[in-house]
Amino acid sequence: MTEQPTSFERPQGADPAEARGALLRTQKSPGNPALPVQARADGPPSGPGTAAPCGKGKDGKGTQPPVGKGKEPPVNGPEHSQSDAAEPMGTPPARAKPNVGEHRPRPAPEGIPPQPGAEQERAQGGQDRRTGRGLPPGRPMPMRRDGDRLRFVGAATRRIARGLDLDEIVMGLCRATVPTFSDAILVYLRDPLPVGDERPTGPVVLRLRRTDRIPEERDTDGVLLPPAFDPEPEPSALADLSSLTTELCEVRPGGALNEVLRGVRPVFADAPAARSALPELLGDGSEALVPSGQHAILAPLRGRRRVIGAALFLRRPERLAFEADDLLVAAQLATHSALGIDKAVLYGREAYIADELQRTMLPETLPRPTGVRLASRYLPAAETARVGGDWYDAIPLPGSRVALVVGDVMGHSMTSAAIMGQLRTTAQTLAGLDLPPQEVLHHLDEQAQRLGTDRMATCLYAVYDPVTHRITIANAGHPPPVLLHLGGRAEVLRVPPGAPIGVGGVDFEAVELDAPAGATLLLYTDGLVESRLRDVWTGIEQLREKLAATAQLTGPDHPPPLEALCDEVLDMLGPGDRDDDIALLAARFDGIAPSDVAYWRLEPEDSAPGQARRLARRALARWDLEDLTDSVELLVSEVVTNAVRYASRPVTLRLLRTDVLRCEVGDDVPQLPRLRQARATDEGGRGLYLVNKLARRWGATRLSTGKVVWFELNRG
């Protein structure tokens, strides 16, 4: 009785590089050692005591010279391994065709293990024992054992899993399978791809996402060669996959393609279900694209909850056909790819939500207040954590002033971003009330305590007045700002540090400092100056030196450009220096010259509107703006008339000449005026209507002592 080898034993006399992937379970006949043991027709026998394939010699008796006597054994044979009994006796073997040119070996695709037996086959005359044709450079040999398939699946899935976004995963699938597993691949995905648990409402549509195939090669002289496995090429369907397929395919309910996708398991293209499904998937070019026989596998891509696409693996007719075990390989590749695509879509949605959240939390554009220019930057802690608790803001205030705010909530998560949004909204509301900086921080501290006991944040609030060239700053545990003077000197402003917002029971102190024209104030968060490699004060000193060095490049009379200055500041960060979010706000103080400001106080009397018209006329004549006299007199008269009607204290009138002409009228009445349509019988109510029609812009702001109504006119 002969002993049968088990599944993990290699049978004696079997070719270890068998072209088909499964193990040969052949018997060794001990009774007659001269009988061949499943000898291959395309190569020499693999074990001792086996006979070479038969062929006619010169005497016609079918003798064959033994291997090693100066004669080469026949290297041509059928596509699949066959025994000698299956060969027609007396049929001369086909003569092998020589290689076309010499090729330098190419490395195998990254991550794909080299196939065993490839070097041995190339050593034997540089020819493929299966076909007798020249071996292409670097082309991996077919997988011959179950272990080869396992190693290939492991390497391919690792390559697929490395991708984070959709394109990387699909490309990983294509690069892992071509040319090791197939000659070409087509990947279809649903359009649009479903995200998470959402249920698509429209019909299922598949879009051709990517195609890949074995490229044509060139010899050492640069001559274009056909694919190496097709020495006598004909027009091939794999030459241009996209031109033979439809980009969009609607999956009809109850159709053949729908049934194959619902079945989830990969199927051969010659299966009855696949033969009906492929024309629906590929369109009219399916017959020219898909070879006959088991040379194509259609594998549905199923994610966590639903089918999200399909992959079509193709081999040329000249290649070995797929086997049953290759369906398992295709299933593994499809499963890992589909799960990776599902995760990539979810990650993309989360990244989109994070970006939108951060974009709404931070100002989309900075305002352009009079007398100051602004620039800002924001950098998240990492690409995978795109939201954080750092924020900045610039808020226009009455009297051409502007509030500059920068803050940092503890942490850089969605919760930190949500708290930051609430504190930023609170700061904007408090700024609209024109409260002093220390009062704004006090109310922010109360708001943080209402949000929770562990809601901590630092904040710096500054108010710049371009008319007086002064800035008022209050700090709540934040790094101090740096002021870069026009001559190139950079100094760290001495501001009382205060306690962080959320501590409670702490008074905040404000200081008023000079803000000369041409100077630049830099507000930032601690992520810019503090990291694991340096403490915060070392980082602040490096920032000061960086600003001073940058200012030296433009000379003492010209400040550095604001946008370029922000970029230079961020360049001081090394590769491992950034552990936290970074918010940066730079303000260049231009100010308003005293000669461009006119200011008066008017008693709340009936003669105030006439007096305001005369004062405005004189100021416009001094500024050579007489062409605006009529409009300014009319609008000033209407606004001052409304102010003195209800005011009990003196009314203020101020004209500012900048790129526009701005007029501001202040009184002690907190009620804001409202634009309304006056009826034909009304005696008043048309003043703001005229202001709205003639002015470039207008508005009203409530102050702690009343309100300010302002309007702007173009200078022509």
Side-chain angles (χ1 to χ4, degrees), residues 494-547:
R494 297 182 178 181
V495 180
I501 291 173
V503 173
V506 180
D507 291 334
F508 299 98
E509 183 180 355
V511 294
E512 188 174 350
L513 304 171
D514 289 332
T520 304
L521 183 69
L522 196 71
L523 308 179
Y524 54 91
T525 56
D526 58 356
L528 180 65
V529 295
E530 185 180 18
S531 69
R532 292 171 293 179
L533 305 178
R534 61 185 175 186
D535 61 87
V536 60
W537 289 108
T538 301
I540 292 175
E541 180 62 22
Q542 292 179 359
L543 174 61
R544 188 192 66 80
E545 295 175 355
K546 182 69 173 180
L547 291 175

Side-chain angles (χ1 to χ4, degrees), residues 374-387:
L374 303 171
S376 63
R377 295 292 188 273
Y378 174 80
L379 293 179
E383 286 297 325
T384 54
R386 305 189 182 188
V387 294

Side-chain angles (χ1 to χ4, degrees), residues 562-643:
L562 207 55
E563 296 291 341
L565 180 64
C566 292
D567 294 335
E568 289 292 330
V569 168
L570 294 181
D571 285 343
M572 66 178 285
L573 298 171
D577 291 350
R578 185 153 59 92
D579 303 323
D580 198 1
D581 304 350
I582 296 176
L584 180 65
L585 180 62
R588 172 72 45 78
F589 300 142
D590 294 332
I592 300 176
S595 58
D596 294 330
V597 181
Y599 180 81
W600 305 278
R601 294 173 65 90
L602 306 175
E603 294 296 328
E605 301 173 350
D606 294 341
S607 61
Q611 184 181 1
R613 289 194 296 269
R614 290 191 299 271
L615 295 173
R617 188 185 311 114
R618 295 174 186 172
L620 295 177
R622 187 170 65 250
W623 292 337
D624 295 329
L625 297 177
E626 289 88 350
D627 53 340
L628 298 179
T629 301
D630 295 337
S631 299
V632 172
E633 286 187 4
L634 175 61
L635 299 184
V636 164
S637 178
E638 293 293 337
V639 176
V640 172
T641 299
N642 291 337

